Structure formats: structure tokens, C-alpha cells
Amino acid sequence: MTSDSASSATRRRLSALWERISDAAKTFTTSSPARFAVLIFSALILLFTALLSLPAMAANGRVTPLADALFTAVSTICVTGLSTVNMGSHWSPLGQVVIYIGVNVGALGVLTLASILGLIISRRLGLRAKLIAAGDSNPMRVHGGPVNEGQTVRLGEVGALLRTVALSTLVIEAGLAVLLYPSLLAGGVDPITALWEAPYFAAMSFTNTGFTPNADGLAPFSHDYLFMTVLMIGVFLGSIGFPVIFTLWRHQWHVRHWSLHTKLTLITTVILFFAGAVVFVSLEYDNPLTFGGMDAWDTTFQSFFLSAMTRSGGFSVVEIGDLHGSSLLVGSMLMFVGGGSASTAGGIKVTTLAVLALSVWSEAKGRPSVQAFGRRIPSDVQRVALSVVAWGATIVAISTITIAQITKADVDKVLFDVVSGFATVGLSTGLTSDLPDPAVYVLAATMFMGRVGTVTLAAAVAASSRSQLYSLPVERPIVG
């Protein structure tokens, strides 16, 4: 055999091998986008762990310990905001840039990121991948059962949804940065540094992460109500979810054209925002370490700020560890609920809470079905909502017990930090910065499961959906 024929045969074998690898990648991305999403998030976490471990990423020029680098990478990609190091002083400017990029990548979301990468690899979105992407507006689209087409983004609109995600992120963060810049200058930050800190704060508010580029956090701006209000607006826009932004952009104030998902998300979010503020005022008004030393206006404003941040924002002015135990419990409840579906927020999601509340109300009224705004919510949505709560509570319980056993710390503080990690909020009682390495890894796993989402995680683990062609005899156990 001549050298030319040998090289030709080698090229053919390499070409055939590449085609098999390409076909396998296409099949994997289109047939199992949920598993692909988990794989991509895991790969990103490993990549950022390696990057943050480099000496150039630390301000002192030394290698960051593995536990700290891994935890920061998970918190960055999962847009959580918890940290085991001081984010403003530990990382170098290059490290801060890497973290800034990481939170924006993580903010795209598991399913959206998987859809985009799957589109790049396969050059098209398959039917199942489109269903998953459309499921960003209603995750039940990937499950069986009738779902009203008006409650979700149609398949033909998936491309528009993905464009909305990217454009809304850029436009909203840019707008927030412009609004924050004057306040940074008024707070004593020099103009050049403010050019960096403004987009950093903007990204951390819209992605609901809560990292700060300075070692003092929000302390220098605690009385700058404009600065704090802009942060709350950013957190709100990030927490309502891209499908809601998509709907508001298309229909604006034409409420009749809003989807049921949009109505439930906005109504539940506003109710929890005001209810949380009222409860925090009631519980903390006499606490000298938090609201007790403030006047009426400061107390009112800071209670609303705390209510917004416990939903998923992660910024804090008061020391969370100084809150009463009752306030920590309320904060844990708000964090567990979280924000909207397909948003930068975590938790079980406000629509899950709304569906369960409507189910309880319908049962109390003796109605045969769950209804809201002239629409019927199918039973499979109710079952998955209940499953999400059950799985979330199980994850939080196991993590809380494990970390409490490792650290022997107070359970109320452990529970708060665990829920904060699961719901990707980022608030901490101070416990996270003092965790031993085994507890750090447990909390990192909790953050990952909270961000990936219980529905997506379940879809990734399930091998395939199986239809049952027969039904079993009915027998009713005693309940209650």
C-alpha cells in the first residue's frame, strides 16, 4: 500500500469516527436535553473551579484551596451568592471578571443554556428539545396531559424566547448599570472604579446572586435609597422569569392577553413581597441589632428591602445573624418559595406555591377541578407541584441534618443557610464562612440541586417515560 492510499484510508477512518461522534452528540442533545443540561452545568462548574484555583485569580497570588474554589464556582454558576471567602478582598481583578462572566452564564438557566448549546451542536432544535425550551414558560410542557396552548410559549416562538433571554439580560443589566453609576460616585467610589462596579452590581442584582465587588458590601450605600431601590428593581426583574418578561414585552398592559403563568407569578410575587415586609417589621421593630435603632422610614424601607432579598436577591444591609429566630424562620420560608419559573431565582417557585394554594382552596370549596382566571389547571400540574415541594423539602432536610451533625451549630442558623443555598439566595447568618470542608461540599451539592431544579433533575434521572396500557383496581386509603 502506497503512502497516499494509507493516508487516504486514515482520513476516511477519522471522518467516519467524527461522524459517529457528531451523530451521538446530536442524538444526546435532542433526545435528552435535561440530562444534557445537567452535564453542561457540571462541566461549567468544573471549568470555573479550575480557573478560580489559579494563583492569578486570588488577590494574594496564591492557589485558592479546592473547597473554596469549588464552592465559589458552584455559587457562581448556580447564581447563589453564598461564599466561604470575602468576595471583595479574596479575588483579584481577573478573578472578579471570571466570576462576573460566570454569573451571567449561569443566569441563562439550565434549560435555556441546554437548548442553545444543543442548537449549536445539532444545528436545529428537535421536537423534544423545543418542548423543553418551551417548558421554560411552563415546565409542565414536558409532561403528559393536556396543557392549554395559551399558557405557554408556542413551539414556533422558541427562537424568539431564546433571543428574549439574551437581549433582556443585556438591556436590563445595561440600564441598571447606568442608574447605579451616579450613586456609586456619590458614595465616594472613583469614576474609573465605578465603571466596573456599576455593571458588576447590575449583574449581581438581575441574576439574583448578591455578590459585591467591595469588601464592605452594601454598608457604604445603606442610606442611599436610590441605589437600594435600583437593586430591588433588578432583583424583581430577574426573579419574575424570562417567560414573564417575554409576555410583558409582547402584550405590555393588556392584562387579558397575559398567560396564566404570568398572572400567577406577578400576583404571588407582589403578595409575598408586601407580606414579608409586614412580618419583618412586626418581628424586628424592637431588635436593637437590626431595626430597633432606625427611624420609622428606615425601618419601613429596610423591611421591604429584606423581604425582596430573602426571595432570592442575596444582598443585605443588616447582619442576618442578628435577626430573631422567628425572623430567620420567616426568611427561610420566603427563600424556600423563591422566584418565578425559568428565572434567575431559585426555590420551589411562586407558581408552585400558587398552584398548591389554589388546589387547597378548590378542595375546601368542593370544586371538581382547580380553576384560576377562567382557566382549568390540569391534575398533572398539581401532582408535579406537590412533587417539587416534597423533593425540595427532602433535600433541605437531609442537608440540614448532615451539616448540623458535622458542625454542631444551632439548627435555626443551619436551616437558614441551607435553604439559602437550595433556593440560590445567598444570604447567610455567618455560618457558611466557617464551615469545615465536608460541610462545604454538602452545601455545594445542595446549591447545585437547587439551581438545576427538581423537575429537571428528575427528568434527567428518568430513563424514559413509559405508558401503562392497563389500570389497577381502585382502593382508597384513609387520609388525615
Side-chain angles (χ1 to χ4, degrees):
M1 181 180 293
T2 63
S3 59
D4 291 339
S5 60
S7 60
S8 178
T10 301
R11 285 195 298 271
R12 286 196 299 270
R13 286 195 295 269
L14 291 175
S15 178
L17 178 61
W18 173 252
E19 288 181 1
R20 288 196 294 270
I21 294 175
S22 179
D23 290 340
K26 291 178 181 179
T27 302
F28 185 73
T29 55
T30 56
S31 65
S32 183
R35 294 181 192 173
F36 182 63
V38 174
L39 177 64
I40 290 300
F41 252 56
S42 301
L44 284 172
I45 288 172
L46 293 178
L47 172 63
F48 276 80
T49 299
L51 290 175
L52 294 175
S53 298
L54 298 175
M57 299 297 170
N60 59 11
R62 298 178 182 177
V63 175
T64 299
L66 176 61
D68 294 330
L70 174 63
F71 191 90
T72 304
V74 175
S75 187
T76 298
I77 298 301
C78 297
V79 292
T80 302
L82 287 174
S83 61
T84 56
V85 298
N86 188 306
M87 297 298 295
S89 61
H90 178 82
W91 303 106
S92 67
L94 180 59
Q96 295 283 10
V97 171
V98 170
I99 292 170
Y100 173 82
I101 295 173
V103 296
N104 280 288
V105 172
L108 293 178
V110 180
L111 300 178
T112 302
L113 181 62
S115 299
I116 293 175
L117 294 179
L119 179 60
I120 293 174
I121 294 176
S122 63
R123 298 185 183 277
R124 63 183 179 85
L125 278 177
L127 177 61
R128 291 188 63 182
K130 286 183 178 180
L131 288 173
I132 291 290
D136 274 354
S137 64
N138 185 348
M140 300 307 102
R141 285 287 301 187
V142 299
H143 294 269
V147 178
N148 190 300
E149 192 68 27
Q151 297 179 25
T152 184
V153 177
R154 296 175 177 85
L155 294 182
E157 298 171 343
V158 169
L161 173 61
L162 299 183
R163 287 193 298 272
T164 300
V165 170
L167 289 176
S168 62
T169 300
L170 292 174
V171 172
I172 292 174
E173 288 188 8
L176 292 172
V178 171
L179 294 175
L180 290 172
Y181 186 77
S183 293
L184 290 172
L185 296 181
V189 181
D190 66 86
I192 302 300
T193 304
L195 286 176
W196 155 247
E197 290 191 356
Y200 191 96
F201 273 113
M204 296 306 161
S205 63
F206 180 68
T207 62
N208 284 210
T209 305
F211 287 147
T212 57
N214 56 325
D216 296 330
L218 294 186
F221 313 102
S222 59
H223 297 290
D224 188 339
Y225 297 128
L226 175 61
F227 185 85
M228 307 282 279
T229 301
V230 173
L231 289 183
M232 283 197 289
I233 292 173
V235 169
F236 173 79
L237 292 176
S239 66
I240 61 177
F242 293 115
V244 176
I245 295 175
F246 183 74
T247 299
L248 295 178
W249 173 71
R250 288 192 62 196
H251 302 297
Q252 299 176 359
W253 295 107
H254 300 287
V255 180
R256 290 183 300 174
H257 299 297
W258 289 2
S259 65
L260 178 60
H261 171 81
T262 299
K263 294 175 182 177
L264 292 180
T265 298
L266 293 178
I267 291 174
T268 310
T269 297
V270 172
I271 290 175
L272 291 178
F273 174 63
F274 282 95
V278 171
V279 172
F280 281 130
V281 167
S282 302
L283 297 178
E284 294 292 326
Y285 76 95
D286 61 345
N287 186 348
L289 299 178
T290 56
F291 296 163
M294 301 179 183
D295 57 31
W297 170 249
D298 281 339
T299 299
T300 302
F301 183 86
Q302 293 299 339
S303 64
F304 277 104
F305 187 81
L306 183 60
S307 177
M309 295 305 129
T310 50
R311 296 291 316 295
S312 190
F315 293 106
S316 63
V317 174
V318 301
E319 290 292 334
I320 301 299
D322 293 335
L323 294 173
H324 290 314
S326 55
S327 298
L328 291 178
L329 181 58
V330 171
S332 298
M333 295 167 64
L334 291 173
M335 292 189 299
F336 187 72
V337 174
S341 297
S343 71
T344 57
I348 62 171
K349 304 301 191 297
V350 292
T351 45
T352 302
L353 176 65
V355 168
L356 292 179
L358 290 171
S359 300
V360 172
W361 178 256
S362 297
E363 186 68 25
K365 287 290 187 178
R367 295 174 179 171
S369 62
V370 179
Q371 303 172 5
F373 298 102
R375 295 291 186 268
R376 180 178 58 85
I377 301 177
S379 59
D380 62 324
V381 176
Q382 302 167 46
R383 290 196 300 269
V384 175
L386 183 60
S387 299
V388 168
V389 174
W391 277 108
T394 301
I395 293 171
V396 168
I398 293 175
S399 181
T400 300
I401 294 171
T402 303
I403 294 178
Q405 179 63 25
I406 294 173
T407 62
K408 301 298 188 294
D410 296 336
V411 175
D412 57 343
K413 294 185 177 181
V414 175
L415 175 63
F416 186 93
D417 280 36
V418 167
V419 175
S420 178
F422 168 78
T424 67
V425 176
L427 295 175
S428 176
T429 60
L431 177 70
T432 300
S433 58
D434 296 327
L435 290 177
D437 287 355
V440 168
Y441 295 132
V442 173
L443 189 55
T446 303
M447 291 191 299
F448 179 80
M449 288 185 287
R451 180 53 184 165
V452 170
T454 51
V455 173
T456 303
L457 197 60
V461 173
S464 62
S465 59
R466 295 180 175 87
S467 59
Q468 187 169 295
L469 302 179
Y470 60 91
S471 59
L472 297 174
V474 175
E475 183 173 349
R476 296 181 179 273
I478 301 174
V479 177

